[in-house]
Amino acid sequence: FTSFLHLPGNSEEVAPPLQQNFMIPKKEINVVSDMAKWKRSQAYADYMGFILTLNEGIRGKKLTCEYKVSEPIEKLVALLNTLDRWIDETPPVDQPSRFGNKAFRTWYAKLDQEAEKLVATVIPKHLADAAPEVAVYLKESVGNSTRIDYGTGHEAAFAAFLCCLCKIGVLRVDDQMAIVFKVFNRYLEVMRKLQKTYRMEPAGSQGVWGLDDFQFLPFIWGSSQLIDHPNLEPRHFVDEKVVNENHKDFMFLECILFITEMKTGPFAEHSNQLWNISAVPSWSKVNQGLIRMYKAECLEKFPVIQHFKFGSLLPIQPVTS
C-alpha cells in the first residue's frame, strides 16, 4: 500500500491493497521483556511515523484555519457525534461512590455492539473486510468498562484507529489537517464529556507528576500549532486571559482550559509538569521535549503498552523497510 506516512505530498488515488488478510488484533506484550519486540515492531514505526507526520502537517496552523474536508472525514465526525448522542441517552446513575459511574458500562456496551457497523459506514464496500480489525481500535479508544477509567493508552488506540484508516487508504495525505483539527479534536470533546459525565478515573496517571490525567497527544500537536506564533510564547499559557481569548484556535490552550475547569488550586500545584514546561523558551523546544516525553512516559511504559493490540495493519513483526 502507499501510506501517507512515507510519501508526503502524494495524494493520488491509491489502489486498494491486494489480498490483504485482515485479522482481529490481539495483545502481544505480556511481560516486561516483550517491550523490546514492541519498539522494534512495524506497528511502533508506523504509529510514531503517523504521529510525527501529523505533527509536521499542522505546524503553525490554527484550528479555525481553512482545510480540505473529505467525505471519510465527515463520516468520522458523524460517528463521533453518534457516540456523543449516546452519552445524552445514557445519563449517570445514582450510586454511592463519586467516581466511575456505572452508566458508563451501559454506554460502552452499546459501542461494543455497534462498533463494526459504525466503522463500516466510514470505509468503502471493497474494504468491508477491514471493519472488524479496525473496529477493535475504536472500542479500545474510549476507556475501560471494567475499571471505568481512561488514559493515554486509550488515546493511543484512537490514534492507531486513524492510522489504520490511512493504511487502508480511506484517509489520505491531504486529510492531514482535518484528521487532527476535525476528527481528533471532536474525539477529545467526546472524551471530555465521557470523563465529566461518568466521572472516569484517570488510568495510570502519575498525578501531579504526570503531564495530564487523561491526554497527551493534543499537547504535542497543540504545541506544534503554536510554533513561530508572533506573540504567544510558552509562558503565556498559564495566563487565564490568554487562554480564554485563544483556546478556540489552539488545541494546547483548549487542554489547559479543561484542566483549570476540572481542578482547583494553584496551577503550579495541580499541574507541576505543565508549569515547568511554561518556562521553556520556545514552542519548538516544547514540541521536541513533549515528543521525547511521550515516548518515555507512554510508549515505553509496560502498563500502557501491555493493552495495545496488533493485527495485520499494525503488526508486531519487526520493521522490514
Side-chain angles (χ1 to χ4, degrees), residues 276-301:
N276 293 338
I277 287 169
S278 72
V280 174
S282 72
W283 285 111
S284 62
K285 285 271 190 296
V286 170
N287 186 245
Q288 290 160 7
L290 286 173
I291 290 165
R292 280 197 305 272
M293 185 178 171
Y294 184 60
K295 289 178 181 170
E297 297 301 320
C298 301
L299 301 185
E300 294 177 8
K301 288 279 188 278

Side-chain angles (χ1 to χ4, degrees), residues 168-225:
I168 60 174
V170 171
L171 296 173
R172 300 172 192 279
V173 71
D174 52 356
D175 289 316
Q176 282 186 64
M177 285 171 69
I179 289 171
V180 180
F181 292 172
K182 237 185 149 50
V183 180
F184 192 80
N185 204 43
R186 184 71 186 105
Y187 164 75
L188 283 178
E189 290 168 0
V190 179
M191 291 309 104
R192 286 173 184 142
K193 187 166 167 177
L194 279 179
Q195 289 150 18
K196 269 198 220 169
T197 306
Y198 304 122
R199 297 250 181 175
M200 297 178 78
E201 300 270 8
S205 159
Q206 298 146 309
V208 69
W209 305 113
L211 183 69
D212 176 77
D213 280 343
F214 297 111
Q215 312 298 155
F216 203 112
L217 292 173
F219 293 96
I220 295 179
W221 293 332
S223 59
S224 180
Q225 282 185 280

Side-chain angles (χ1 to χ4, degrees), residues 66-104:
E66 294 281 312
Y67 50 84
K68 174 185 167 270
V69 179
S70 64
E71 198 184 344
I73 294 285
E74 295 283 14
K75 288 173 170 174
L76 280 165
V77 173
L79 180 158
L80 290 164
N81 291 344
T82 300
L83 302 190
D84 191 337
R85 194 182 72 244
W86 291 347
I87 303 175
D88 297 333
E89 292 166 5
T90 319
V93 294
D94 275 335
Q95 61 176 46
S97 66
R98 208 171 122 224
F99 287 95
N101 194 282
K102 291 182 179 55
F104 175 72

